[in-house]
Amino acid sequence: MRWDAQALSPNREPAPGDNGGKGPGSAPALEALLPLAGLVRSVSTPEFSGVTFHEVTAKSVLNKVAAGSQMPFEWTVNPYRGCSHACVYCFARKSHTYLEFDAGQDFDSQVVVKINAAEVLRKELAKPSWERHQVALGTNTDPYQRAEGRYALMPGIIGALADSGTPFSILTKGTLLARDIPLLKHAATQVPVDLGISLAMTNQDLAAIIEPGTPSPRARLKLISRLRDAGLGCGVMAMPILPWLTDSDEALDALFSALTEAGATGVTAGALYLKPGTREWFMKWLAAHQPELLGKYRRLYGQGSYASKEYRTWLAGRVSHFKAKYGYAGTHGFSHRNARPAAGRAIAHTAAPSHDESLVLPGQQPLF
């Protein structure tokens, strides 16, 4: 079915041949669903069952990180708000409440799309005041979630950054990134480009219920290999490690073994972080799917966002062991500057220690 015919709000120009939304199969004209700034229209389509896209025109897309933040970058771009990847543990859930959505189901199903992101970004980067600081993408919601296949915002964003001489990084679970490998290879000849894949488990069944909208772990491993075959570095953010679910020696060994085989250039691992908004949604999921663990999680996290110090110390030891075993000692998960040779995928090579390349998302504490 045609995308334009699925519009739920009338604030749009009619597409050629759609008779202004009045033809057969067109949605009836409705008032805008939400008081979102710059709302053009809201769209719901069978292609994305259960998800509504709110298309907005943004005045600015280049975001300055608040002073005093512990994040190792100063600027971000987020072409989407909300994420159909629906990861139960996503730390960004509370940010959706700033738009008067809830941090649970709405975060998964009400996705805001900045349809003019590339054009606005190009204008912002052209300002004489822009000092070409590194820009991070994927720090709040995933820029390669499924909607990117429809909206294709990232090619324009990548081009704008590279053409302006601005270094950038991308963190994603989305295999749609493979579409842009040629663009990324070209961009890497112009500016430093850091790529990271978020992958913290190899258990396909668990992934299917805890991060149901994401490509499978197997698909993400193939993406890592494709990036390495293309000559691009690709680190892995193994976050979050889930207590009693993905923290066993068997699970960690399987993960690090798979990352080595795929050719990942570095790994950063850390325990689940349960900030308000995420905590409530995760605990609800736990009660439904792993009720025997609910009491353990409540004791482990208490009233805070972090697992106990004792647990984090224990997990740090296990992560350190497997990083050393598979040649990742001294590496971080979000840089290709400490890359190992692509030809040595199945063999562990110790990478030189890096210093400031690791991307740690807000509130998450890397173990190594």
Side-chain angles (χ1 to χ4, degrees):
M1 299 179 69
R2 291 185 54 193
W3 187 269
D4 284 342
Q6 309 309 308
L8 301 179
S9 62
N11 303 338
R12 63 180 178 91
E13 294 295 324
D18 81 351
N19 202 21
K22 299 178 182 178
S26 297
L30 302 174
E31 292 302 315
L33 299 183
L34 292 165
L36 289 171
L39 180 66
V40 176
R41 64 177 181 175
S42 297
V43 179
S44 181
T45 173
E47 181 184 354
F48 294 87
S49 180
V51 181
T52 299
F53 298 99
H54 304 285
E55 300 175 357
V56 302
T57 53
K59 293 182 178 180
S60 174
V61 296
L62 192 57
N63 309 306
K64 183 74 166 68
V65 176
S69 170
Q70 296 182 352
M71 291 187 286
F73 46 81
E74 297 181 66
W75 298 88
T76 66
V77 169
N78 292 291
Y80 301 94
R81 299 287 298 272
C83 187
S84 60
H85 280 167
C87 301
V88 177
Y89 51 73
C90 182
F91 72 90
R93 286 183 171 277
K94 190 173 182 180
S95 67
H96 224 41
T97 64
Y98 308 153
L99 303 177
E100 299 185 17
F101 289 116
D102 69 51
Q105 186 65 35
D106 283 354
F107 183 83
D108 303 339
S109 63
Q110 303 293 323
V111 177
V112 177
V113 186
K114 301 173 186 178
I115 57 176
N116 63 338
E119 294 82 0
V120 173
L121 178 61
R122 191 170 286 275
K123 291 178 181 178
E124 291 181 302
L125 297 174
K127 293 179 179 179
S129 59
W130 176 242
E131 298 180 350
R132 295 174 176 81
H133 297 286
Q134 181 172 358
V135 172
L137 296 104
T139 61
N140 193 53
T141 56
D142 202 311
Y144 283 103
Q145 59 182 286
R146 282 185 62 214
E148 173 61 15
R150 161 68 196 183
Y151 288 102
L153 301 178
M154 285 298 290
I157 290 171
I158 292 168
L161 291 165
D163 291 345
S164 70
T166 300
F168 63 93
S169 62
I170 299 173
L171 178 64
T172 184
K173 289 184 174 78
T175 52
L176 275 166
L177 176 69
R179 179 199 66 195
D180 294 341
I181 286 177
L183 288 173
L184 291 166
K185 288 181 66 175
H186 179 67
T189 68
Q190 300 172 278
V191 296
V193 176
D194 286 351
L195 302 175
I197 302 301
S198 177
L199 177 61
M201 67 187 77
T202 57
N203 185 319
Q204 303 279 120
D205 294 334
L206 178 61
I209 58 173
I210 204 165
E211 42 187 40
T214 66
S216 70
R218 187 177 297 115
R220 278 175 270 168
L221 289 166
K222 290 180 180 178
L223 175 61
I224 294 169
S225 296
R226 289 189 65 178
L227 290 168
R228 299 298 285 129
D229 288 342
L232 295 165
C234 182
V236 170
M237 296 294 284
M239 292 182 167
I241 303 298
L242 305 171
W244 296 289
L245 291 171
T246 63
D247 63 349
S248 67
D249 279 2
E250 180 182 18
L252 291 172
D253 190 75
L255 175 63
F256 279 90
S257 174
L259 297 182
T260 301
E261 183 66 26
T265 56
V267 185
T268 294
L272 174 67
Y273 172 64
L274 290 178
K275 67 181 293 185
T278 301
R279 180 189 180 98
E280 294 80 3
W281 192 245
F282 181 83
M283 290 299 189
K284 182 179 179 180
W285 177 89
L286 203 64
H289 294 276
Q290 301 284 344
E292 71 282 2
L293 296 180
L294 191 58
K296 291 183 178 181
Y297 268 80
R298 286 173 174 164
R299 290 189 293 273
L300 184 64
Y301 282 84
Q303 298 303 310
S305 300
Y306 296 99
S308 70
K309 182 178 179 180
E310 292 77 13
Y311 176 82
R312 286 182 281 124
T313 299
W314 170 81
L315 183 58
R318 301 318 299 149
V319 168
S320 179
H321 168 78
F322 287 108
K323 289 189 72 169
K325 177 179 178 179
Y326 287 100
Y328 288 111
T331 70
H332 296 296
F334 207 178
S335 175
H336 63 259
R337 285 171 287 216
N338 58 351
R340 298 180 295 181
R345 278 199 183 139
I347 304 173
H349 297 276
T350 301
S354 57
H355 301 286
D356 61 351
E357 300 106 344
S358 177
L359 170 71
V360 182
L361 299 180
Q364 295 181 315
Q365 292 186 333
L367 299 174
F368 284 91

